[in-house]
Amino acid sequence: MRKRIPTLSEHQVTPEGQYLSRRTLISGALATGVSLLSGTSDATSPTGTPLRATRNSTLSVSVPANSWDDITSYNNYYEFGTDKADPAANAGKLITHPWTVTIGGEADITGPIALEDLLKPHALEERIYRLRCVEAWSMVVPWVGIPLADVLKRFKPTSKAKFVRFTTLNDPAQMPGVRSRVLSWPYTEGLRMDEAMHPLSLLAVGLYGRTLPNQNGAPLRLVVPWKYGFKSIKAIVRIDFVERLPRSSWMNANPTEYGFYANVNPSVDHPRWSQASERHIGGGLFAARQPTLPFNGYAEQVADLYRGMDLKAQF
Ligand code: MTE
């Protein structure tokens, strides 16, 4: 197994022995009487550097997480191909250390910052979130990360900062998929400032207590659990504070199918399929589809952000 060089500071990395006992604890806590593996066999052991993170139970769901295999072998990451198996097959060689994130736009502090320095002041949290893809499948993922708001505030956004735009690395030498015109590159995504500052918005650096595998967006990705999975941009190299609504790669690809908000909404169908229900990955071939919940089950926490908006028009 190739050992990854940690890009985290010492207080964020767990010694291996401690991690193993901790993982047992997590499994117990997560499982709540049901198998952690949700019916599938955990054929592959988690890889990556163990991380020291404290579970945020308040912001975690209490249903079993999907297996490591489910989460790391069924992915969307078009820079590495459009098939679900492509990212796991093709992203392994992406160089994720050293990694620099450039902060730009309407903020007092801007410029490049090494990932270690971006993360250093923050304690890592583990949060178990539901992930709902626009393709009408879902998973439950134990992420490790830091609140996006805590990171953004450090750069002192100005009053002109109404939105945040995120940009993925665009390197044809390492990312074979960017030679195809399936999306506009670099991959970009955006959030309204209040969405970005919401306590549920997470910058993830790990999953299952270890640094992120490349196919899941190493070394840094966004997780916004009440929005469709495509908002969760991977391998972030730029964060810009902007005045105008930023266009995402999915809006550029097909503005009638993918809107800026992309809030999970069972009553607003994708033009080509229903969003009323979803297939839970790992549930087995004959598992019943589950009804999709408004805001992916996070309505109580986030519905207020959209009060007064017509969510059919602003999808
Ligand atoms: N980020 C980049 N850079 N490129 C992508 O193609 N796909 C998105 C999102 N982030 C994507 C991306 C989509 S469509 C989904 S559903 C989620 O990543 C999937 O995250 P996962 O593979 O960790 O489940």
mmCIF file of all heavy atoms in Angstrom, residues 71 74-79 131-135 137 139 143 168 183 185 187 215-217 221 228-235 250, ligand 1:
data_model
loop_
_atom_site.group_PDB
_atom_site.id
_atom_site.type_symbol
_atom_site.label_atom_id
_atom_site.label_comp_id
_atom_site.label_asym_id
_atom_site.label_seq_id
_atom_site.Cartn_x
_atom_site.Cartn_y
_atom_site.Cartn_z
ATOM 1 N N ILE A 71 -18.618 3.649 -0.994
ATOM 2 C CA ILE A 71 -18.313 5.089 -1.081
ATOM 3 C C ILE A 71 -17.136 5.368 -2.014
ATOM 4 O O ILE A 71 -17.078 6.414 -2.647
ATOM 5 C CB ILE A 71 -18.039 5.657 0.340
ATOM 6 C CG1 ILE A 71 -19.287 5.503 1.223
ATOM 7 C CG2 ILE A 71 -17.621 7.126 0.287
ATOM 8 C CD1 ILE A 71 -19.038 5.756 2.715
ATOM 9 N N TYR A 74 -18.056 3.820 -6.343
ATOM 10 C CA TYR A 74 -19.199 4.267 -7.155
ATOM 11 C C TYR A 74 -19.192 5.783 -7.114
ATOM 12 O O TYR A 74 -19.772 6.400 -6.230
ATOM 13 C CB TYR A 74 -20.478 3.691 -6.544
ATOM 14 C CG TYR A 74 -21.720 3.842 -7.391
ATOM 15 C CD1 TYR A 74 -22.025 2.892 -8.365
ATOM 16 C CD2 TYR A 74 -22.586 4.915 -7.216
ATOM 17 C CE1 TYR A 74 -23.172 3.022 -9.142
ATOM 18 C CE2 TYR A 74 -23.726 5.050 -7.986
ATOM 19 C CZ TYR A 74 -24.015 4.094 -8.942
ATOM 20 O OH TYR A 74 -25.147 4.219 -9.707
ATOM 21 N N ASN A 75 -18.461 6.385 -8.060
ATOM 22 C CA ASN A 75 -18.190 7.829 -7.948
ATOM 23 C C ASN A 75 -18.507 8.601 -9.220
ATOM 24 O O ASN A 75 -18.494 8.044 -10.315
ATOM 25 C CB ASN A 75 -16.701 8.050 -7.628
ATOM 26 C CG ASN A 75 -16.293 7.415 -6.312
ATOM 27 O OD1 ASN A 75 -15.655 6.371 -6.288
ATOM 28 N ND2 ASN A 75 -16.699 8.015 -5.208
ATOM 29 N N ASN A 76 -18.731 9.875 -9.039
ATOM 30 C CA ASN A 76 -18.794 10.828 -10.145
ATOM 31 C C ASN A 76 -17.612 11.772 -10.010
ATOM 32 O O ASN A 76 -17.469 12.449 -8.973
ATOM 33 C CB ASN A 76 -20.088 11.651 -10.099
ATOM 34 C CG ASN A 76 -21.260 10.910 -10.705
ATOM 35 O OD1 ASN A 76 -21.082 10.090 -11.609
ATOM 36 N ND2 ASN A 76 -22.458 11.195 -10.224
ATOM 37 N N TYR A 77 -16.775 11.819 -11.054
ATOM 38 C CA TYR A 77 -15.597 12.709 -11.064
ATOM 39 C C TYR A 77 -15.155 12.716 -12.515
ATOM 40 O O TYR A 77 -14.301 11.931 -12.917
ATOM 41 C CB TYR A 77 -14.530 12.118 -10.129
ATOM 42 C CG TYR A 77 -13.435 13.042 -9.658
ATOM 43 C CD1 TYR A 77 -12.551 12.598 -8.658
ATOM 44 C CD2 TYR A 77 -13.235 14.326 -10.176
ATOM 45 C CE1 TYR A 77 -11.532 13.402 -8.176
ATOM 46 C CE2 TYR A 77 -12.213 15.139 -9.699
ATOM 47 C CZ TYR A 77 -11.365 14.672 -8.701
ATOM 48 O OH TYR A 77 -10.352 15.462 -8.219
ATOM 49 N N TYR A 78 -15.810 13.605 -13.287
ATOM 50 C CA TYR A 78 -15.671 13.529 -14.741
ATOM 51 C C TYR A 78 -14.266 13.836 -15.233
ATOM 52 O O TYR A 78 -13.925 13.490 -16.362
ATOM 53 C CB TYR A 78 -16.707 14.465 -15.405
ATOM 54 C CG TYR A 78 -18.101 13.875 -15.463
ATOM 55 C CD1 TYR A 78 -18.484 12.813 -14.649
ATOM 56 C CD2 TYR A 78 -19.047 14.386 -16.357
ATOM 57 C CE1 TYR A 78 -19.759 12.283 -14.713
ATOM 58 C CE2 TYR A 78 -20.333 13.858 -16.432
ATOM 59 C CZ TYR A 78 -20.681 12.806 -15.605
ATOM 60 O OH TYR A 78 -21.947 12.278 -15.673
ATOM 61 N N GLU A 79 -13.430 14.455 -14.410
ATOM 62 C CA GLU A 79 -12.034 14.663 -14.806
ATOM 63 C C GLU A 79 -11.326 13.321 -15.012
ATOM 64 O O GLU A 79 -10.270 13.243 -15.638
ATOM 65 C CB GLU A 79 -11.280 15.454 -13.725
ATOM 66 C CG GLU A 79 -11.628 16.932 -13.649
ATOM 67 C CD GLU A 79 -12.836 17.234 -12.768
ATOM 68 O OE1 GLU A 79 -13.665 16.318 -12.542
ATOM 69 O OE2 GLU A 79 -12.962 18.383 -12.308
ATOM 70 N N LEU A 131 -25.941 11.688 1.450
ATOM 71 C CA LEU A 131 -25.542 12.254 0.150
ATOM 72 C C LEU A 131 -26.592 11.824 -0.874
ATOM 73 O O LEU A 131 -26.878 10.640 -1.000
ATOM 74 C CB LEU A 131 -24.172 11.688 -0.254
ATOM 75 C CG LEU A 131 -23.684 12.006 -1.664
ATOM 76 C CD1 LEU A 131 -22.896 13.319 -1.660
ATOM 77 C CD2 LEU A 131 -22.794 10.919 -2.224
ATOM 78 N N ARG A 132 -27.213 12.800 -1.545
ATOM 79 C CA ARG A 132 -28.252 12.474 -2.537
ATOM 80 C C ARG A 132 -27.788 13.002 -3.885
ATOM 81 O O ARG A 132 -27.580 14.202 -4.061
ATOM 82 C CB ARG A 132 -29.578 13.115 -2.116
ATOM 83 C CG ARG A 132 -30.725 13.101 -3.143
ATOM 84 C CD ARG A 132 -31.115 11.712 -3.590
ATOM 85 N NE ARG A 132 -32.463 11.649 -4.155
ATOM 86 C CZ ARG A 132 -32.793 12.001 -5.401
ATOM 87 N NH1 ARG A 132 -31.893 12.461 -6.234
ATOM 88 N NH2 ARG A 132 -34.048 11.879 -5.801
ATOM 89 N N CYS A 133 -27.599 12.091 -4.833
ATOM 90 C CA CYS A 133 -27.135 12.478 -6.165
ATOM 91 C C CYS A 133 -28.329 12.863 -7.025
ATOM 92 O O CYS A 133 -29.432 12.325 -6.863
ATOM 93 C CB CYS A 133 -26.369 11.324 -6.799
ATOM 94 S SG CYS A 133 -25.748 11.700 -8.443
ATOM 95 N N VAL A 134 -28.121 13.777 -7.957
ATOM 96 C CA VAL A 134 -29.189 14.183 -8.878
ATOM 97 C C VAL A 134 -29.660 12.995 -9.738
ATOM 98 O O VAL A 134 -30.775 12.990 -10.249
ATOM 99 C CB VAL A 134 -28.718 15.379 -9.755
ATOM 100 C CG1 VAL A 134 -27.726 14.930 -10.817
ATOM 101 C CG2 VAL A 134 -29.880 16.143 -10.355
ATOM 102 N N GLU A 135 -28.803 11.957 -9.833
ATOM 103 C CA GLU A 135 -29.179 10.757 -10.593
ATOM 104 C C GLU A 135 -30.123 9.840 -9.806
ATOM 105 O O GLU A 135 -30.402 8.727 -10.249
ATOM 106 C CB GLU A 135 -27.923 9.966 -10.979
ATOM 107 C CG GLU A 135 -27.016 10.730 -11.916
ATOM 108 C CD GLU A 135 -25.587 10.175 -11.946
ATOM 109 O OE1 GLU A 135 -25.121 9.623 -10.932
ATOM 110 O OE2 GLU A 135 -24.938 10.319 -12.985
ATOM 111 N N TRP A 137 -29.823 8.428 -6.705
ATOM 112 C CA TRP A 137 -29.308 7.428 -5.764
ATOM 113 C C TRP A 137 -28.767 8.164 -4.536
ATOM 114 O O TRP A 137 -28.538 9.378 -4.586
ATOM 115 C CB TRP A 137 -28.241 6.523 -6.379
ATOM 116 C CG TRP A 137 -27.097 7.208 -7.083
ATOM 117 C CD1 TRP A 137 -27.002 7.453 -8.425
ATOM 118 C CD2 TRP A 137 -25.887 7.730 -6.498
ATOM 119 N NE1 TRP A 137 -25.813 8.108 -8.705
ATOM 120 C CE2 TRP A 137 -25.113 8.295 -7.543
ATOM 121 C CE3 TRP A 137 -25.387 7.803 -5.203
ATOM 122 C CZ2 TRP A 137 -23.875 8.901 -7.334
ATOM 123 C CZ3 TRP A 137 -24.149 8.404 -4.992
ATOM 124 C CH2 TRP A 137 -23.409 8.945 -6.057
ATOM 125 N N MET A 139 -26.434 7.755 -0.576
ATOM 126 C CA MET A 139 -25.504 7.028 0.310
ATOM 127 C C MET A 139 -25.482 7.769 1.639
ATOM 128 O O MET A 139 -25.989 8.886 1.745
ATOM 129 C CB MET A 139 -24.071 7.061 -0.233
ATOM 130 C CG MET A 139 -23.834 6.247 -1.460
ATOM 131 S SD MET A 139 -22.056 5.899 -1.602
ATOM 132 C CE MET A 139 -21.959 5.664 -3.368
ATOM 133 N N TRP A 143 -17.949 11.639 6.855
ATOM 134 C CA TRP A 143 -16.903 12.570 6.412
ATOM 135 C C TRP A 143 -16.055 13.020 7.583
ATOM 136 O O TRP A 143 -16.523 13.036 8.733
ATOM 137 C CB TRP A 143 -17.525 13.825 5.800
ATOM 138 C CG TRP A 143 -18.376 13.610 4.599
ATOM 139 C CD1 TRP A 143 -19.732 13.749 4.514
ATOM 140 C CD2 TRP A 143 -17.938 13.238 3.282
ATOM 141 N NE1 TRP A 143 -20.156 13.478 3.233
ATOM 142 C CE2 TRP A 143 -19.076 13.164 2.465
ATOM 143 C CE3 TRP A 143 -16.684 12.960 2.728
ATOM 144 C CZ2 TRP A 143 -19.008 12.824 1.106
ATOM 145 C CZ3 TRP A 143 -16.613 12.620 1.387
ATOM 146 C CH2 TRP A 143 -17.760 12.553 0.594
ATOM 147 N N THR A 168 -11.981 23.494 -9.240
ATOM 148 C CA THR A 168 -11.180 22.258 -9.169
ATOM 149 C C THR A 168 -9.910 22.402 -9.996
ATOM 150 O O THR A 168 -9.886 23.145 -10.984
ATOM 151 C CB THR A 168 -12.014 21.078 -9.736
ATOM 152 O OG1 THR A 168 -13.113 20.829 -8.877
ATOM 153 C CG2 THR A 168 -11.212 19.786 -9.864
ATOM 154 N N LEU A 183 -17.941 18.468 -19.966
ATOM 155 C CA LEU A 183 -18.241 19.607 -19.084
ATOM 156 C C LEU A 183 -17.274 20.736 -19.437
ATOM 157 O O LEU A 183 -16.257 20.510 -20.094
ATOM 158 C CB LEU A 183 -18.030 19.230 -17.610
ATOM 159 C CG LEU A 183 -19.074 18.357 -16.913
ATOM 160 C CD1 LEU A 183 -18.619 18.049 -15.484
ATOM 161 C CD2 LEU A 183 -20.446 19.029 -16.884
ATOM 162 N N TRP A 185 -14.322 23.028 -18.324
ATOM 163 C CA TRP A 185 -13.230 22.899 -17.339
ATOM 164 C C TRP A 185 -12.584 24.257 -17.109
ATOM 165 O O TRP A 185 -12.532 25.040 -18.050
ATOM 166 C CB TRP A 185 -12.182 21.886 -17.824
ATOM 167 C CG TRP A 185 -12.765 20.603 -18.301
ATOM 168 C CD1 TRP A 185 -12.804 20.141 -19.590
ATOM 169 C CD2 TRP A 185 -13.418 19.588 -17.508
ATOM 170 N NE1 TRP A 185 -13.435 18.924 -19.646
ATOM 171 C CE2 TRP A 185 -13.821 18.560 -18.386
ATOM 172 C CE3 TRP A 185 -13.698 19.460 -16.139
ATOM 173 C CZ2 TRP A 185 -14.490 17.420 -17.951
ATOM 174 C CZ3 TRP A 185 -14.359 18.330 -15.709
ATOM 175 C CH2 TRP A 185 -14.745 17.331 -16.599
ATOM 176 N N TYR A 187 -13.748 22.468 -13.519
ATOM 177 C CA TYR A 187 -15.030 22.259 -12.850
ATOM 178 C C TYR A 187 -15.206 23.385 -11.820
ATOM 179 O O TYR A 187 -14.301 23.664 -11.030
ATOM 180 C CB TYR A 187 -14.992 20.916 -12.138
ATOM 181 C CG TYR A 187 -16.315 20.383 -11.585
ATOM 182 C CD1 TYR A 187 -17.029 19.412 -12.284
ATOM 183 C CD2 TYR A 187 -16.812 20.806 -10.355
ATOM 184 C CE1 TYR A 187 -18.206 18.883 -11.767
ATOM 185 C CE2 TYR A 187 -17.993 20.283 -9.837
ATOM 186 C CZ TYR A 187 -18.681 19.322 -10.556
ATOM 187 O OH TYR A 187 -19.844 18.801 -10.044
ATOM 188 N N GLN A 215 -10.445 9.428 -5.558
ATOM 189 C CA GLN A 215 -11.728 9.399 -6.291
ATOM 190 C C GLN A 215 -12.835 10.157 -5.552
ATOM 191 O O GLN A 215 -13.833 10.544 -6.146
ATOM 192 C CB GLN A 215 -12.173 7.954 -6.594
ATOM 193 C CG GLN A 215 -12.398 7.060 -5.398
ATOM 194 C CD GLN A 215 -11.163 6.261 -5.025
ATOM 195 O OE1 GLN A 215 -10.044 6.757 -5.120
ATOM 196 N NE2 GLN A 215 -11.365 5.026 -4.588
ATOM 197 N N ASN A 216 -12.659 10.373 -4.249
ATOM 198 C CA ASN A 216 -13.658 11.120 -3.479
ATOM 199 C C ASN A 216 -13.298 12.595 -3.313
ATOM 200 O O ASN A 216 -13.986 13.318 -2.599
ATOM 201 C CB ASN A 216 -13.883 10.466 -2.117
ATOM 202 C CG ASN A 216 -14.550 9.114 -2.250
ATOM 203 O OD1 ASN A 216 -13.866 8.097 -2.351
ATOM 204 N ND2 ASN A 216 -15.869 9.083 -2.313
ATOM 205 N N GLY A 217 -12.200 13.029 -3.978
ATOM 206 C CA GLY A 217 -11.933 14.463 -4.015
ATOM 207 C C GLY A 217 -10.731 14.948 -3.255
ATOM 208 O O GLY A 217 -10.654 16.130 -2.915
ATOM 209 N N ARG A 221 -12.432 18.708 -0.524
ATOM 210 C CA ARG A 221 -13.677 18.794 -1.287
ATOM 211 C C ARG A 221 -14.757 19.433 -0.427
ATOM 212 O O ARG A 221 -14.660 19.474 0.795
ATOM 213 C CB ARG A 221 -14.147 17.422 -1.753
ATOM 214 C CG ARG A 221 -14.656 16.606 -0.609
ATOM 215 C CD ARG A 221 -15.495 15.423 -0.968
ATOM 216 N NE ARG A 221 -16.754 15.601 -1.589
ATOM 217 C CZ ARG A 221 -17.375 14.613 -2.212
ATOM 218 N NH1 ARG A 221 -16.813 13.420 -2.317
ATOM 219 N NH2 ARG A 221 -18.564 14.803 -2.725
ATOM 220 N N TYR A 228 -27.977 18.532 -4.131
ATOM 221 C CA TYR A 228 -27.571 17.380 -4.925
ATOM 222 C C TYR A 228 -26.047 17.265 -4.920
ATOM 223 O O TYR A 228 -25.326 18.271 -4.841
ATOM 224 C CB TYR A 228 -28.111 17.494 -6.352
ATOM 225 C CG TYR A 228 -29.617 17.326 -6.402
ATOM 226 C CD1 TYR A 228 -30.444 18.356 -6.817
ATOM 227 C CD2 TYR A 228 -30.202 16.133 -5.988
ATOM 228 C CE1 TYR A 228 -31.825 18.208 -6.834
ATOM 229 C CE2 TYR A 228 -31.577 15.969 -5.997
ATOM 230 C CZ TYR A 228 -32.390 17.004 -6.420
ATOM 231 O OH TYR A 228 -33.743 16.843 -6.415
ATOM 232 N N GLY A 229 -25.578 16.018 -5.015
ATOM 233 C CA GLY A 229 -24.141 15.721 -4.867
ATOM 234 C C GLY A 229 -23.242 16.530 -5.773
ATOM 235 O O GLY A 229 -22.075 16.763 -5.435
ATOM 236 N N PHE A 230 -23.746 16.985 -6.915
ATOM 237 C CA PHE A 230 -22.829 17.661 -7.846
ATOM 238 C C PHE A 230 -22.305 18.986 -7.313
ATOM 239 O O PHE A 230 -21.308 19.510 -7.812
ATOM 240 C CB PHE A 230 -23.433 17.795 -9.248
ATOM 241 C CG PHE A 230 -24.629 18.693 -9.405
ATOM 242 C CD1 PHE A 230 -24.472 20.060 -9.589
ATOM 243 C CD2 PHE A 230 -25.919 18.173 -9.413
ATOM 244 C CE1 PHE A 230 -25.571 20.882 -9.766
ATOM 245 C CE2 PHE A 230 -27.030 18.984 -9.596
ATOM 246 C CZ PHE A 230 -26.855 20.347 -9.762
ATOM 247 N N LYS A 231 -22.969 19.552 -6.273
ATOM 248 C CA LYS A 231 -22.440 20.781 -5.670
ATOM 249 C C LYS A 231 -21.148 20.502 -4.886
ATOM 250 O O LYS A 231 -20.417 21.428 -4.563
ATOM 251 C CB LYS A 231 -23.458 21.397 -4.700
ATOM 252 C CG LYS A 231 -24.761 21.847 -5.296
ATOM 253 C CD LYS A 231 -24.619 22.953 -6.299
ATOM 254 C CE LYS A 231 -24.466 24.318 -5.695
ATOM 255 N NZ LYS A 231 -24.513 25.386 -6.734
ATOM 256 N N SER A 232 -20.926 19.209 -4.558
ATOM 257 C CA SER A 232 -19.788 18.847 -3.696
ATOM 258 C C SER A 232 -18.518 18.735 -4.522
ATOM 259 O O SER A 232 -18.038 17.644 -4.818
ATOM 260 C CB SER A 232 -20.081 17.513 -3.010
ATOM 261 O OG SER A 232 -21.195 17.634 -2.170
ATOM 262 N N ILE A 233 -17.965 19.879 -4.858
ATOM 263 C CA ILE A 233 -16.813 19.945 -5.768
ATOM 264 C C ILE A 233 -15.555 19.334 -5.132
ATOM 265 O O ILE A 233 -15.310 19.516 -3.941
ATOM 266 C CB ILE A 233 -16.597 21.412 -6.202
ATOM 267 C CG1 ILE A 233 -15.439 21.557 -7.173
ATOM 268 C CG2 ILE A 233 -16.420 22.337 -4.998
ATOM 269 C CD1 ILE A 233 -15.350 22.963 -7.790
ATOM 270 N N LYS A 234 -14.800 18.630 -5.971
ATOM 271 C CA LYS A 234 -13.615 17.887 -5.494
ATOM 272 C C LYS A 234 -12.311 18.616 -5.844
ATOM 273 O O LYS A 234 -12.286 19.468 -6.737
ATOM 274 C CB LYS A 234 -13.608 16.501 -6.146
ATOM 275 C CG LYS A 234 -14.856 15.689 -5.790
ATOM 276 C CD LYS A 234 -14.885 14.342 -6.476
ATOM 277 C CE LYS A 234 -16.073 13.530 -5.975
ATOM 278 N NZ LYS A 234 -16.119 12.188 -6.561
ATOM 279 N N ALA A 235 -11.239 18.205 -5.197
ATOM 280 C CA ALA A 235 -9.874 18.690 -5.504
ATOM 281 C C ALA A 235 -9.858 20.204 -5.718
ATOM 282 O O ALA A 235 -9.464 20.709 -6.769
ATOM 283 C CB ALA A 235 -9.306 17.961 -6.719
ATOM 284 N N TRP A 250 -22.047 22.547 -14.321
ATOM 285 C CA TRP A 250 -23.303 21.876 -14.684
ATOM 286 C C TRP A 250 -24.299 22.850 -15.285
ATOM 287 O O TRP A 250 -25.048 22.491 -16.206
ATOM 288 C CB TRP A 250 -23.892 21.138 -13.475
ATOM 289 C CG TRP A 250 -23.084 19.921 -13.164
ATOM 290 C CD1 TRP A 250 -22.152 19.778 -12.178
ATOM 291 C CD2 TRP A 250 -23.091 18.677 -13.887
ATOM 292 N NE1 TRP A 250 -21.588 18.529 -12.247
ATOM 293 C CE2 TRP A 250 -22.136 17.839 -13.264
ATOM 294 C CE3 TRP A 250 -23.815 18.201 -14.987
ATOM 295 C CZ2 TRP A 250 -21.884 16.536 -13.713
ATOM 296 C CZ3 TRP A 250 -23.562 16.902 -15.435
ATOM 297 C CH2 TRP A 250 -22.615 16.087 -14.799
HETATM 298 N N1 MTE B 1 -16.191 17.455 -8.585
HETATM 299 C C1 MTE B 1 -15.443 17.487 -9.697
HETATM 300 N N2 MTE B 1 -14.324 18.219 -9.713
HETATM 301 N N3 MTE B 1 -15.785 16.813 -10.830
HETATM 302 C C2 MTE B 1 -16.935 16.073 -10.892
HETATM 303 O O1 MTE B 1 -17.229 15.481 -11.941
HETATM 304 N N4 MTE B 1 -18.936 15.303 -9.701
HETATM 305 C C3 MTE B 1 -19.940 15.722 -8.730
HETATM 306 C C4 MTE B 1 -19.345 15.958 -7.335
HETATM 307 N N5 MTE B 1 -18.078 16.661 -7.417
HETATM 308 C C5 MTE B 1 -17.758 16.009 -9.727
HETATM 309 C C6 MTE B 1 -17.327 16.713 -8.569
HETATM 310 C C7 MTE B 1 -21.059 14.793 -8.647
HETATM 311 S S1 MTE B 1 -22.070 14.714 -10.018
HETATM 312 C C8 MTE B 1 -21.329 14.051 -7.524
HETATM 313 S S2 MTE B 1 -22.764 13.137 -7.379
HETATM 314 C C9 MTE B 1 -20.386 14.017 -6.395
HETATM 315 O O2 MTE B 1 -19.158 14.721 -6.680
HETATM 316 C C10 MTE B 1 -20.032 12.580 -6.090
HETATM 317 O O3 MTE B 1 -19.182 12.478 -4.977
HETATM 318 P P1 MTE B 1 -18.634 11.047 -4.582
HETATM 319 O O4 MTE B 1 -17.988 10.460 -5.809
HETATM 320 O O5 MTE B 1 -17.658 11.267 -3.468
HETATM 321 O O6 MTE B 1 -19.825 10.243 -4.150
#
